[in-house]
Amino acid sequence: KRRCAVKENLIELFNERAGIREFDGGLSRDIAERLAEEDVEAYRHKCEVDSIVRMYETKGGDAVKSFLLQVEKHRGSETASRLREKALAQIRLGKTK
């Protein structure tokens, strides 16, 4: 199992996904890399949601709010909102780790 959202792991995932699509799938490098970027972002999002759910359980809502404020500051309100909504949905469904 990959360790979530560590920069080196995201680079490794990108290279793996792009390579598979380009060499095994026969796609152009540009298309393979664009699709790999989408894969990496989806994986990163999932990891961040899982991390927020764990943070909520261990440190509480204030820690989550603080984290999401930093996400908003550095990556925008849309990204922070998507993370907030997905994490809340997981918490409401009882899918905590």
Side-chain angles (χ1 to χ4, degrees), residues 8-35:
E8 292 80 17
N9 290 340
L10 296 177
I11 292 168
E12 178 184 334
L13 177 63
F14 172 82
N15 289 330
E16 175 185 286
R17 300 305 304 158
I20 289 169
R21 287 196 167 106
E22 183 178 1
F23 296 107
D24 294 343
L27 297 176
S28 71
R29 176 171 284 221
D30 288 342
I31 292 172
E33 288 181 349
R34 182 174 45 84
L35 293 172

Side-chain angles (χ1 to χ4, degrees), residues 10-70:
L10 296 177
I11 292 168
E12 178 184 334
L13 177 63
F14 172 82
N15 289 330
E16 175 185 286
R17 300 305 304 158
I20 289 169
R21 287 196 167 106
E22 183 178 1
F23 296 107
D24 294 343
L27 297 176
S28 71
R29 176 171 284 221
D30 288 342
I31 292 172
E33 288 181 349
R34 182 174 45 84
L35 293 172
E37 286 175 7
E38 292 173 9
D39 287 343
V40 168
E41 186 52 36
Y43 179 74
R44 177 180 173 178
H45 180 78
K46 179 198 173 303
C47 289
E48 286 181 319
V49 168
D50 291 346
S51 178
I52 291 167
V53 170
R54 283 191 305 275
M55 184 185 302
Y56 176 78
E57 287 185 321
T58 60
K59 298 179 181 179
D62 288 340
V64 171
K65 287 177 187 177
S66 178
F67 173 78
L68 290 172
L69 284 172
Q70 289 301 309

